[in-house]
């Protein structure tokens, strides 16, 4: 949190400097007439042309990414396109056009630059709103589009009047106000990051450059060669920073995915060992043998149930998630088999209100086994276990309860490998919240709460 706070403060200071620096410099040097020198500067034109080429490269990268990867890069492709167009008609490019003999570009330069500036600022705001306000109510887009359209119309009408500077600063004020709202919401949701800060810097760099340009066009201040290309250089560095942040984020996700895979494999191996633990198999075979001595049909039934239970156990341990109904069937097999060893079977009750979701294989059964092993529900007259599920807003609530003897929950931390494994797998695969409540002589309740969108196959 401390790093994020420092990033926010640094970003705010940098944005204010980017917005104001160019205008302050021009107004401070208003007594010097250096416009002619700026327009004749070949070096500024060449550097601007190099900046245009770099920004065109960014646009091509974003455009190809939009086509090949997903439509989620549409916003950054539009942003790169308007930034490239803005650089194409920047004041420092005038010298390059004169050098290459393309005077037509000078005729549409100011108008095209303002159009691309408005498009760039709006595209940045739409990108920030789309990508960083997913957890909250999004701002409506129509106000900023309405202001942008009105600004462009008035700019055309007042194109030959110095009063058009009022139009520019009217749009700039509205855009910055809209940005402040987005930034405040992102701070509250803690959804801003390095990419957010770098994109914001592009927004304010172009705003600062355009403010200086309009002061010059309106005759309030001279122009300094290289000023716009300096702002464009900041934008280029920000784009490089965005790509660097993207690669770092992807690399981190890849590392987390590898850790996730290794942890999941470890848990699946532990699950397999739990399912084929020797003492359970030996006890089961002994019980089946005793059944055959007393009743061949009962022995056949017990053997069939044991065989089906083991077959399911071994076949599903390599499956990450299974339907909730399949997990209930596994529980049914387990209870039916346990009851073959008893003269007075206990009851399993299913109270299922919702079943169209997935859970990790054998993630609920250990909690049922716990009711048998620790809560002794199988030894209690009228003992029963209830498995229920219900929809709770955007969550699914699964509850496993019994009317057994209860137990000390703290004893699970060391000895209950099956329960701890099940809890880990539910948290790892579904980000579930698992809570176990038990009181001596009052039974046990296991509450599992899962987000609906995490329960997909």
């Amino acid at each position: 949190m401390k790093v994020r706070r420092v990033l926010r403060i640094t970003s705010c200071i940098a944005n204010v400097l980017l917005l104001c620096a160019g205008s302050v410099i021009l107004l401070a040097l208003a007594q010097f007439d250096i416009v002619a020198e700026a327009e004749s500067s070949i070096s500024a034109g060449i550097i601007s042309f190099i900046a245009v080429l770099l920004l065109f490269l960014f646009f091509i990268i974003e455009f190809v990414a939009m086509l090949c990867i997903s439509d989620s890069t549409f916003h950054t492709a539009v942003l790169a396109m308007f930034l490239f167009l803005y650089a194409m008609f920047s004041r420092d490019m005038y010298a390059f056009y004169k050098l290459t003999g393309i005077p037509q570009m000078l005729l549409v330069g100011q108008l095209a630059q303002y159009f691309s500036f408005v498009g760039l600022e709006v595209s940045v705001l739409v990108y920030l709103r789309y990508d960083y306000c997913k957890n909250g109510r999004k701002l409506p887009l129509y106000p900023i589009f309405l202001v942008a359209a009105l600004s462009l119309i008035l700019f055309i009408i007042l194109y030959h009047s110095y009063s058009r500077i009022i139009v520019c600063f009217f749009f700039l004020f509205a855009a910055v106000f809209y940005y402040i709202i987005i930034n405040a919401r992102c701070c509250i949701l803690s959804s801003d990051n390095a990419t957010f800060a770098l994109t914001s810097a592009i927004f304010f760099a172009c705003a600062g450059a355009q403010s200086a340009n309009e002061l010059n066009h309106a005759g309030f201040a001279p122009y300094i060669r290289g000023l716009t290309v300096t702002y464009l250089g900041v934008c280029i560095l920000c784009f490089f920073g965005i790509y660097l942040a993207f690669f770092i984020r992807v690399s981190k996700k890849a590392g987390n995915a590898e850790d996730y895979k290794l942890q999941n494999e470890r848990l699946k191996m532990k699950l397999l060992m739990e399912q084929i633990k020797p003492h359970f198999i030996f006890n089961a075979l002994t019980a089946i043998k005793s059944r055959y001595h007393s009743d061949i049909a009962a022995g056949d039934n017990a053997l069939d149930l044991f065989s089906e239970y083991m077959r399911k156990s071994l076949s599903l341990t390599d499956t990450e998630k299974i339907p909730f109904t399949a997990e209930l069937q596994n529980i049914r097999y387990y209870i039916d088999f346990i009851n073959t060893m008893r003269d007075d079977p206990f009851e399993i009750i299913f109270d299922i209100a919702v079943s169209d979701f997935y859970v990790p294989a054998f993630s609920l059964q250990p909690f049922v086994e716990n009711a048998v092993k620790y809560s002794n529900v199988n030894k209690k007259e009228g003992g029963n276990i209830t498995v229920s599920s219900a929809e709770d807003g955007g969550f699914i609530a699964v509850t496993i309860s019994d009317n057994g003897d209860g137990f000390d929950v703290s004893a699970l931390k060391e000895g209950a490998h099956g329960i701890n494994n099940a809890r880990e797998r539910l948290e790892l695969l579904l980000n579930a919240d698992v809570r176990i409540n038990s009181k001596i002589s009052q039974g046990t309740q296991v509450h599992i709460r899962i987000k609906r969108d995490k329960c997909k196959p």
Side-chain angles (χ1 to χ4, degrees), residues 393-433:
F395 293 82
I396 293 174
V398 178
T399 303
I400 302 170
S401 58
D402 66 69
N403 62 348
D405 296 335
F407 60 94
D408 182 4
V409 176
S410 62
L412 291 175
K413 295 180 181 179
E414 297 295 332
H417 301 296
I419 292 177
N420 291 330
N421 184 24
R423 187 203 299 266
E424 283 187 70
R425 296 179 71 237
L426 284 164
E427 292 174 351
L428 177 67
L429 296 178
L430 302 182
N431 196 27
D433 178 37

Side-chain angles (χ1 to χ4, degrees), residues 16 21 57 71 83 110 117 151 160 172 323 327 384 400 449:
V16 172
L57 178 62
D71 60 358
L83 186 56
Q110 294 180 30
F117 163 70
S151 171
H160 296 291
L172 191 57
E327 181 70 5
N384 64 74
I400 302 170
R449 187 174 169 85

Side-chain angles (χ1 to χ4, degrees), residues 56-201:
F56 179 71
L57 178 62
F58 290 144
F59 167 62
I60 293 299
I61 292 172
E62 293 294 338
F63 183 75
V64 172
M66 179 184 69
L67 296 178
C68 299
I69 301 175
S70 71
D71 60 358
S72 63
T73 56
F74 169 77
H75 297 87
T76 50
V78 172
L79 190 157
M81 178 189 71
F82 278 118
L83 186 56
F84 160 66
L85 292 175
Y86 185 73
M88 277 280 292
F89 298 100
S90 67
R91 188 66 183 270
D92 288 322
M93 279 292 286
Y94 287 4
F96 178 80
Y97 293 138
K98 283 185 175 181
L99 178 67
T100 53
I102 316 177
Q104 295 84 355
M105 298 295 285
L106 302 179
L107 298 176
V108 297
Q110 294 180 30
L111 188 61
Q113 185 182 55
Y114 188 74
F115 268 69
S116 55
F117 163 70
V118 172
L120 172 65
E121 298 298 89
V122 171
S123 64
V124 171
L125 293 174
V126 172
Y127 167 68
L128 294 178
R129 169 192 173 275
Y130 173 83
D131 211 41
Y132 291 93
C133 290
K134 291 179 179 177
N135 297 325
R137 184 180 177 185
K138 292 182 180 178
L139 290 171
L141 281 175
Y142 71 86
I144 193 64
F145 279 115
L146 191 63
V147 169
L150 180 62
S151 171
L152 291 172
I153 293 170
L154 291 175
F155 190 86
I156 294 173
I157 295 173
L158 301 173
Y159 184 61
H160 296 291
S161 171
Y162 289 145
S163 60
R164 74 182 195 191
I165 192 172
I166 300 174
V167 176
C168 176
F169 283 100
F170 162 70
F171 169 75
L172 191 57
F173 173 81
V176 171
F177 181 74
Y178 197 88
Y179 167 81
I180 290 172
I181 297 175
I182 294 176
N183 189 41
R185 289 192 172 193
C186 290
C187 288
I188 293 171
L189 296 170
S190 294
S191 58
D192 52 341
N193 54 22
T195 302
F196 183 94
L198 291 166
T199 309
S200 300

Side-chain angles (χ1 to χ4, degrees), residues 269-412:
M269 182 58 67
K270 287 174 65 177
L271 170 66
L272 178 61
M273 296 306 295
E274 281 292 317
Q275 294 305 118
I276 60 174
K277 45 188 176 285
H279 73 269
F280 172 74
I281 295 176
F282 293 153
N283 291 342
L285 292 175
T286 301
I288 293 170
K289 180 181 177 181
S290 66
R291 282 294 179 185
Y292 270 114
H293 281 295
S294 59
D295 188 339
I296 294 178
D300 286 341
N301 181 51
L303 184 60
D304 289 339
L305 287 171
F306 178 72
S307 175
E308 186 65 22
Y309 172 75
M310 291 303 297
R311 184 181 69 80
K312 287 286 186 182
S313 298
L314 295 174
S315 66
L316 291 177
T317 49
D318 199 37
T319 304
E320 195 167 78
K321 295 178 185 178
I322 63 173
F324 178 63
T325 52
E327 181 70 5
L328 296 181
Q329 187 62 50
N330 295 336
I331 293 173
R332 170 62 72 184
Y333 282 133
Y334 172 76
I335 295 297
D336 287 347
F337 176 69
I338 293 296
N339 279 334
T340 62
M341 306 179 194
R342 293 171 42 82
D343 294 324
D344 184 20
F346 63 95
E347 186 179 7
I348 178 79
I349 302 170
F350 294 110
D351 181 17
I352 308 302
V354 56
S355 61
D356 59 333
F357 61 97
Y358 284 68
V359 295
F362 295 102
S363 58
L364 304 183
Q365 182 180 309
F367 298 109
V368 175
E369 293 180 21
N370 171 76
V372 176
K373 182 177 180 181
Y374 290 98
S375 207
N376 295 321
V377 68
N378 58 321
K379 298 178 181 178
K380 185 175 182 179
E381 184 177 353
N384 64 74
I385 301 172
T386 301
V387 180
S388 63
S389 67
E391 193 90 38
D392 183 14
F395 293 82
I396 293 174
V398 178
T399 303
I400 302 170
S401 58
D402 66 69
N403 62 348
D405 296 335
F407 60 94
D408 182 4
V409 176
S410 62
L412 291 175

